[in-house]
Each structure stands twice: as C-alpha cells, then as structure tokens.
Amino acid sequence: MLRVAIQVKELISTNVTSALDSMSSSAKTLHKLQREIEEAIITLEGERTKTDRKLSRSKATLTQMELREADWTDKAKTAMDHGREDLARQALLAREDGRLTIATTKEEVAQAEDDLKEINSAIKELEVKREETRERAKAQLAADAENCGSPVPGASSAERHLDRISQMERRVDFATEDSAEARSNAGVDREIEELRRASNIDAELATMKKPAAKSSAKRGGKKAK
C-alpha cells in the first residue's frame, strides 16, 4: 500500500503543479484537486501509523533475539563442560537459526525507517500543495464571482480519486516468479551455506572440547593420587 500511496502523491503533485501553473484553471477544478490532496494525506497518515507500529514490533523482536543468541552460546558451553557434545551442537544450531532471524529483522527495521522518512516527506509536500491549491481556489472563486456576479459552485466529491486508487492497486503486481534456473541456483547456494555452517559449528565444538578435556584430565590425575 505504501507504494500505491506514494504513486498517488506523485500523480496528484503533478496535477496540482499543472493546475497552479495554468491561468485557465477554474475554482471548481482547484477545489477538486484540494479534496484529492486531502484524501492522499489521509492515506499516507494511515500508512505512517501502520509502519510506525511495525517498526516498534521489529525493534522489540530484535532485542529479544540478540539476548537469545548470547544465551544459546552459554548453553552450548555448559553442555560441553558436562560432556554433552550432542546438546552443545543443537544449541549452536539454534543460535545460528537465531542469527538468521536477527539479520532479517535488522533489514525490516531499516526498511521501516526508510518508509517512515518517505511517508513524512510525502505528507509535508502534499500539505504545501494543499495550501497553495486552497489559496489559488479562493482567489479564483473571488475572481469568478466578480466577473459573473454570482459565486461559483463548490468542489465535487473525491470519488474519481478513490476509483483511481482502486485501479492502481489492481495493476500493481508485487509477486515475481523466479525462473527455473534461479531456483536451482538458490538450492545449490542454500546447500553450500549449510555445509559452511556445519563446518563452523564443528570448529567451535572442537575449541570447546579442549578446556573440557583438560578439566577431565586434571580430575583423573587427582583420583590417581
């Protein structure tokens, strides 16, 4: 919806600029544009609220996942100290899964922050356009009233604008299909990444084994005495 809202903002901004630059724009046309701008602002404000909530949730999730990451490492060390390499391996695998989630969540936070900046910028731009259009409409209305001796009818509804949004939403296609080759390459990439992850965990377990082995040797030496 953000993409559609931004497209609507750009479309309206272009229309308003053309109307303001044209000396022949009627008060009715300017009033109509004003209503369309207001509808676009309302749409963007709704997107801002949803994006802000999403950002808050993503930040909270990120904090929790970072705490769990450290906890899994401690659990793996505890398991190795008690000779449970199987449990240590499972803990490290869980930690690696958590790290993937952390990376994804960080991307979500960055994207939400960028979206908020874009929305705020769009709203400010439309607020300026709205004020310019409102002042121009008032001036044009006064001029028309002076020339005709009677006031010009007010603005029409924003139904056409809403229909335009509906049409744009139907035309926007967010889903893209990967080619068979791309899917195949992705499968190979995932398998190699799993091999790398397993190697890293084996190396970390080997490092943990050394202090555990030394500790066992010391205990064995004391019993022999």
Side-chain angles (χ1 to χ4, degrees):
M1 188 60 195
L2 173 64
R3 180 179 172 183
V4 175
I6 296 300
Q7 287 176 337
V8 170
K9 182 269 298 184
E10 293 173 348
L11 175 63
I12 293 175
S13 294
T14 301
N15 291 344
V16 171
T17 300
S18 298
L20 292 176
D21 289 343
S22 175
M23 298 304 296
S24 61
S25 296
S26 67
K28 184 177 180 179
T29 299
L30 293 167
H31 274 299
K32 180 179 180 294
L33 287 173
Q34 181 182 337
R35 298 297 180 268
E36 291 184 348
I37 292 172
E38 290 166 353
E39 289 291 340
I41 290 174
I42 291 172
T43 299
L44 286 170
E45 286 178 341
E47 285 301 307
R48 178 168 60 186
T49 298
K50 289 189 290 186
T51 304
D52 190 54
R53 289 174 181 170
K54 180 180 179 181
L55 178 60
S56 297
R57 289 195 299 269
S58 296
K59 285 183 176 180
T61 299
L62 182 59
T63 299
Q64 293 175 358
M65 294 304 300
E66 288 175 340
L67 291 174
R68 289 178 185 174
E69 177 187 6
D71 188 46
W72 279 121
T73 300
D74 291 338
K75 287 178 178 179
K77 292 178 180 178
T78 300
M80 285 301 299
D81 289 342
H82 290 77
R84 293 296 305 274
E85 182 178 344
D86 57 329
L87 284 180
R89 181 181 295 276
Q90 292 177 18
L92 293 178
L93 284 171
R95 185 196 64 187
E96 292 305 304
D97 289 339
R99 285 178 174 175
L100 292 176
T101 303
I102 287 173
T104 300
T105 306
K106 285 182 177 179
E107 292 177 358
E108 292 175 354
V109 168
Q111 183 62 56
E113 290 175 341
D114 289 343
D115 288 347
L116 279 177
K117 290 180 182 178
E118 188 171 7
I119 290 172
N120 289 329
S121 175
I123 291 175
K124 288 181 180 179
E125 182 179 338
L126 286 177
E127 288 286 2
V128 172
K129 294 292 185 182
R130 175 183 175 276
E131 186 61 23
E132 291 177 357
T133 305
R134 189 176 70 87
E135 292 299 325
R136 173 69 181 279
K138 287 170 59 179
Q140 189 63 49
L141 186 63
D144 291 344
E146 183 178 349
N147 293 333
C148 301
S150 60
V152 177
S156 62
S157 67
E159 291 182 359
R160 292 181 183 177
H161 166 61
L162 296 177
D163 289 341
R164 187 183 305 158
I165 291 179
S166 178
Q167 291 174 2
M168 291 177 67
E169 288 176 331
R170 287 196 295 270
R171 290 173 183 173
V172 175
D173 183 8
F174 292 103
T176 57
E177 295 182 358
D178 294 330
S179 64
E181 182 180 357
R183 288 196 297 270
S184 177
N185 291 342
V188 172
D189 185 63
R190 283 196 301 273
E191 189 170 350
I192 292 175
E193 186 59 34
E194 286 297 324
L195 292 174
R196 288 176 178 172
R197 188 170 76 157
S199 297
N200 291 337
I201 289 176
D202 287 339
E204 190 167 352
L205 287 172
T207 301
M208 290 181 180
K209 282 181 182 179
K210 294 179 180 179
K214 291 181 180 178
S215 177
S216 297
K218 289 181 179 179
R219 288 197 298 268
K222 291 180 179 179
K223 289 181 179 179
K225 292 181 180 179

